């Protein structure tokens, strides 16, 4: 079923006491045919919800993930697999909450932040979100540069500059069908994933050691803590929370109790499947890297590569599967991974700017600005530090994402745990407890690493006593500001409520029939869809 152009149906519907009547639409869709979910229970409805979860999951197998996975396996064998398991579990719950927030309230996370927080905190949260998007874009820039180097022997610094144009070309190609483009890119990424799965048969990691790494937490030194933070940042990204809560608004769902409940359930199933695939890919990359780089039969040349393993050297891990083609095919998949992740970063940037500032830019302008900010540090590091320096920059960018995660996660937890915002769909006590524990663990490992690095730097520096004390006070002040900012978000009570018809509706036939319609629908957000789909969408009838 498709919405007819020119139809004026309510986007947000307020409820006043017992007379729940829809008011005038806040957003009208008069130009695009959109996906409409029938107001009836059917497994076929699941196909209407397919899309957002898989688009979000692309960020879990981007060049940043590959880089951190490769180093984790090479340096600590299977010892950090438990981080991938924890991060994947956390990601599923957190992405579920992000989807629920959009489905229930009709607004995405950035819009809620603008309505909820005063101007100064809102502006700071926007700046942090933009920094997170730039930090996410850095691995895409470097990964693409590595891929161009492997394919065409282009110097790394030249490849970094070329990435500024490649994303603009990608945005241009979206006009011919963004869905087809994404499917093609995903096919290339999963091709290399299949190669890693096959390589597991050659690497033969010991199953007991892999299981021990998955279920026995361990951190051996600050180097392991640094990689653990990088793995967390590469898996649970702040911009994904803004992205997922906005993408679900592109569907037109019934505003009945069953309709919203079904949407939340199907989005959870879709996200669960997509994140399971991403989890298996990350585990396979770490296992292959850990088994090969810690093998006693490793030749001297490969042993040297494993000591400082990065994306530019990783193709030798696949030589048992791909032979002499390993470098080229790995480069193609790396190029696809970086460019597909660029799409999600562009969407997230649009939603963040629109939500926090009520400001919208054309996608190519927005992407060009973000890419320029990512290119500058990448270019400097590529010229000075070369391949090794660029690989380390990916790790640092992933760490930044981990440190910034609480500033997106805590508002999400507060909003979805608020009855004034979520009504009947507020988080259960079990979900709330689990998510707050996850958030506390992420904050705890970040603070532990900061404290450890501060103590080590003060102990090992060669400054005089006054200089050491000044650096110590400065570092301690920075940690206190970080903790105080998190505490503000945790302690501050929500003030803004969300008044939608479905929040007070009970599960009864009457709630699904307002003004004589067979179902009360919520129009898809035209502004969200326009940012996501540059071309007219063609949707098959689901009835």
């Amino acid at each position: 079923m498709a919405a007819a152009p020119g139809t004026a149906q309510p986007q947000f519907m307020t409820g006043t006491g017992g007379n729940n009547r829809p008011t005038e639409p806040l957003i009208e869709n008069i130009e695009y045919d959109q996906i409409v979910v029938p107001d009836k229970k059917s497994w076929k409805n699941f196909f209407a919800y397919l899309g957002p979860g898989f688009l979000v999951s692309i960020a879990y197998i981007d060049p940043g993930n590959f880089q951190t996975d490769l180093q984790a396996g090479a340096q600590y064998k299977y010892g950090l697999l438990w981080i991938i398991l924890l991060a994947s579990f956390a990601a599923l719950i957190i992405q579920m909450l992000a989807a629920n927030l959009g489905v229930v309230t009709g607004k995405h996370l950035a819009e809620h932040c603008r309505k909820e927080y005063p101007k100064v905190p809102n502006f700071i949260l926007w700046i942090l979100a933009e920094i997170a998007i730039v930090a996410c874009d850095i691995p895409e820039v470097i990964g693409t540069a590595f891929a161009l180097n492997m394919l065409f022997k282009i110097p790394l610094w030249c490849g970094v500059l070329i990435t500024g144009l490649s994303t603009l070309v990608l945005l241009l190609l979206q006009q011919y069908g963004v869905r087809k483009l994404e499917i093609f890119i995903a096919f290339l990424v999963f091709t290399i994933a299949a190669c890693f799965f096959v390589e597991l048969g050659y690497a033969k990691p010991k199953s007991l050691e892999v299981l021990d790494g998955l279920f026995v937490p361990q951190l051996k030194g600050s180097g392991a803590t640094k990689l653990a933070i990088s793995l967390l940042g590469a898996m649970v990204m702040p911009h994904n929370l803004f992205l997922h809560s906005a993408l679900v608004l592109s569907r037109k769902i019934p505003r009945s109790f069953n309709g919203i409940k079904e949407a939340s359930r199907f989005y959870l199933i879709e996200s669960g499947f997509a994140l399971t695939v991403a989890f298996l890919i990350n585990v396979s990359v770490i296992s292959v890297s850990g088994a090969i780089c810690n093998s006693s039969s490793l030749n001297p040349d490969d042993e040297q590569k494993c000591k400082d393993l990065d994306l530019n050297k990783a193709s030798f891990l696949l030589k048992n599967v791909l032979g002499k083609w390993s470098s080229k095919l790995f480069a193609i998949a790396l190029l696809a991974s970086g460019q597909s992740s660029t799409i999600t970063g562009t969407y997230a940037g649009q939603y963040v700017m629109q939500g926090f500032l009520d400001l919208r830019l054309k996608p190519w302008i927005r992407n060009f600005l973000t890419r320029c900010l990512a290119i500058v540090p990448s270019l400097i590091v590529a010229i000075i530090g070369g391949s090794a320096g660029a690989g380390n920059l990916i790790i640092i960018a992933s760490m930044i994402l981990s440190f910034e995660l609480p500033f997106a996660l805590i508002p999400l937890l507060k909003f979805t745990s608020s009855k004034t915002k979520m009504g009947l769909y507020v988080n259960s006590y079990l979900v709330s407890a689990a998510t707050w524990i996850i958030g506390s663990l992420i904050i705890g490992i970040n603070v532990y690493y900061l404290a450890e690095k501060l103590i080590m730097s003060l102990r090992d520096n060669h400054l005089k006593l006054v200089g050491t004390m000044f650096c110590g006070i400065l570092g301690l002040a920075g940690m206190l500001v970080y903790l105080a900012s998190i505490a503000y978000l945790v302690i501050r009570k929500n003030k803004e409520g969300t008044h939608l018809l479905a929040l007070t509706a009970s599960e009864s036939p009457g709630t699904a029939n307002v003004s004589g319609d067979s179902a009360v629908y919520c129009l898809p957000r035209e502004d969200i869809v326009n940012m996501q789909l540059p071309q007219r969408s063609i949707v098959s009838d689901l009835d």
Side-chain angles (χ1 to χ4, degrees):
M1 179 186 300
T7 303
Q9 291 176 299
Q11 163 69 15
F12 295 105
M13 294 164 285
T14 60
T16 55
N19 185 20
N20 293 323
R21 303 282 297 179
T23 61
E24 59 181 319
L26 298 185
I27 297 177
E28 292 186 356
N29 185 349
I30 60 175
E31 192 173 336
Y32 281 75
D33 295 332
Q34 303 301 346
I35 296 176
V36 180
V37 183
D39 188 28
K40 62 179 182 180
K41 288 187 176 181
S42 172
W43 64 269
K44 293 181 180 180
N45 289 355
F46 177 68
F47 296 103
Y49 294 107
L50 282 176
F54 283 91
L55 190 61
V56 167
S57 70
I58 290 175
Y60 292 86
I61 48 176
D62 70 351
N65 290 95
F66 282 135
Q67 173 73 26
T68 51
D69 290 347
L70 291 169
Q71 288 204 5
Q75 295 180 30
Y76 298 98
K77 206 173 183 180
Y78 317 121
L80 295 179
L81 281 174
W82 67 275
I83 292 289
I84 297 296
L85 180 62
L86 175 65
S88 299
F89 175 73
L92 177 59
I93 296 178
I94 293 169
Q95 297 297 162
M96 175 193 71
L97 297 185
N100 287 350
L101 181 68
V103 167
V104 173
T105 67
K107 294 180 181 179
H108 57 79
L109 180 57
E111 290 176 321
H112 278 287
C113 288
R114 175 163 56 90
K115 292 289 185 181
E116 181 66 39
Y117 296 110
K119 288 185 178 180
V120 173
N122 180 71
F123 182 78
I124 294 173
L125 288 175
W126 170 67
I127 292 294
L128 291 174
E130 294 290 356
I131 293 174
I133 292 171
V134 172
C136 178
D137 207 37
I138 287 175
E140 275 72 46
V141 168
I142 296 176
T144 301
F146 278 147
L148 294 174
N149 177 261
M150 285 184 274
L151 285 171
F152 309 111
K153 305 300 179 183
I154 296 175
L156 194 60
W157 66 271
C158 287
V160 169
L161 291 176
I162 292 174
T163 58
L165 298 175
S166 68
T167 53
L168 298 181
V169 173
L170 192 71
L171 288 171
L172 179 65
L173 292 176
Q174 289 183 57
Q175 303 296 326
Y176 299 98
V178 67
R179 295 308 187 197
K180 295 177 182 177
L181 180 64
E182 288 171 0
I183 291 173
F184 175 69
I185 290 175
F187 170 77
L188 294 177
V189 174
F190 283 113
T191 298
I192 203 68
C195 293
F196 272 104
F197 291 151
V198 175
E199 181 68 19
L200 282 174
Y202 291 94
K204 293 182 172 62
K206 294 182 179 179
S207 56
L208 290 179
E209 292 184 10
V210 173
L211 290 175
D212 182 71
L214 276 172
F215 297 105
V216 180
Q218 51 184 305
L219 287 174
K220 299 178 180 178
S222 61
T225 307
K226 175 183 176 182
L227 270 177
I229 293 174
S230 300
L231 288 169
L232 279 174
M235 287 292 290
V236 191
M237 298 183 181
H239 78 283
N240 262 357
L241 307 187
F242 298 105
L243 178 65
H244 205 174
S245 64
L247 289 177
V248 298
L249 299 178
S250 61
R251 268 61 175 174
K252 181 182 178 183
I253 68 170
R255 299 307 299 183
S256 62
F257 180 89
N258 285 333
I260 294 177
K261 190 175 179 180
E262 179 187 72
S264 299
R265 182 173 68 254
F266 281 148
Y267 278 131
L268 173 61
I269 295 172
E270 182 215 17
S271 298
F273 180 76
L275 292 178
T276 298
V277 174
F279 166 75
L280 293 175
I281 292 173
N282 284 288
V283 168
S284 67
V285 174
I286 292 180
S287 299
V288 167
S289 175
I292 293 178
C293 287
N294 292 277
S295 172
S296 57
S297 59
L298 198 65
N299 64 60
D301 184 43
D302 290 345
E303 186 176 354
Q304 187 61 36
K305 291 179 181 177
C306 284
K307 287 182 179 179
D308 191 17
L309 189 60
D310 59 37
L311 293 173
N312 213 23
K313 305 172 185 175
S315 59
F316 83 94
L317 297 174
L318 300 175
K319 63 184 179 182
N320 289 325
V321 180
L322 303 175
K324 64 180 181 179
W325 292 97
S326 61
S327 176
K328 301 299 181 185
L329 291 182
F330 182 79
I332 291 173
L334 188 59
L335 184 65
S337 173
Q339 295 306 297
S340 59
S341 297
T342 295
I343 296 175
T344 62
T346 301
Y347 292 158
Q350 286 289 93
Y351 303 145
V352 162
M353 183 170 285
Q354 174 263 330
F356 279 108
L357 304 182
D358 197 20
L359 177 65
R360 216 168 298 143
L361 295 178
K362 291 183 179 180
W364 73 268
I365 297 177
R366 164 75 212 187
N367 185 268
F368 183 73
L369 292 175
T370 302
R371 183 48 58 97
C372 286
L373 291 174
I375 282 176
V376 172
S378 302
L379 183 61
I380 294 173
V381 171
I383 293 175
I384 297 175
S387 175
N392 288 330
L393 183 59
I394 292 180
I395 300 297
I396 294 172
S398 297
M399 291 177 65
I400 291 173
L401 292 173
S402 179
F403 287 120
E404 289 212 7
L405 181 59
F407 299 101
L409 178 58
I410 292 174
L412 176 64
L413 300 185
K414 292 289 292 290
F415 297 157
T416 54
S417 298
S418 170
K419 286 187 177 181
T420 60
K421 290 184 181 294
M422 300 291 287
L424 297 173
Y425 312 95
V426 67
N427 293 341
S428 66
Y429 290 115
L430 181 61
V431 171
S432 294
T435 49
W436 281 107
I437 289 173
I438 291 168
S440 300
L441 288 174
I442 293 172
I443 295 170
I445 194 172
N446 289 341
V447 172
Y448 170 77
Y449 177 76
L450 289 174
E452 185 182 41
K453 292 300 289 184
L454 178 61
I455 293 172
M456 289 179 61
S457 61
L458 294 176
R459 183 187 63 193
D460 299 335
N461 71 70
H462 301 288
L463 299 174
K464 294 182 180 180
L465 180 60
V466 176
T468 301
M469 290 181 62
F470 177 77
C471 291
I473 292 172
L474 194 63
L476 183 61
M479 287 183 59
L480 290 177
V481 169
Y482 181 73
L483 291 173
S485 302
I486 292 174
Y488 168 79
L489 294 176
V490 172
I491 296 172
R492 185 184 184 279
K493 292 184 178 180
N494 293 330
K495 296 181 180 179
E496 294 289 334
T498 303
H499 304 290
L500 297 178
L501 173 65
L503 296 186
T504 55
S506 59
E507 188 172 9
S508 62
T511 58
N513 193 342
V514 177
S515 300
D517 293 330
S518 60
V520 181
Y521 278 105
C522 170
L523 274 181
R525 292 277 301 275
E526 183 185 352
D527 54 341
I528 296 297
V529 177
N530 287 354
M531 281 189 278
Q532 183 189 359
L533 299 173
Q535 81 292 339
R536 286 180 178 271
S537 59
I538 300 175
V539 182
S540 59
D541 193 338
L542 290 171
D543 257 338

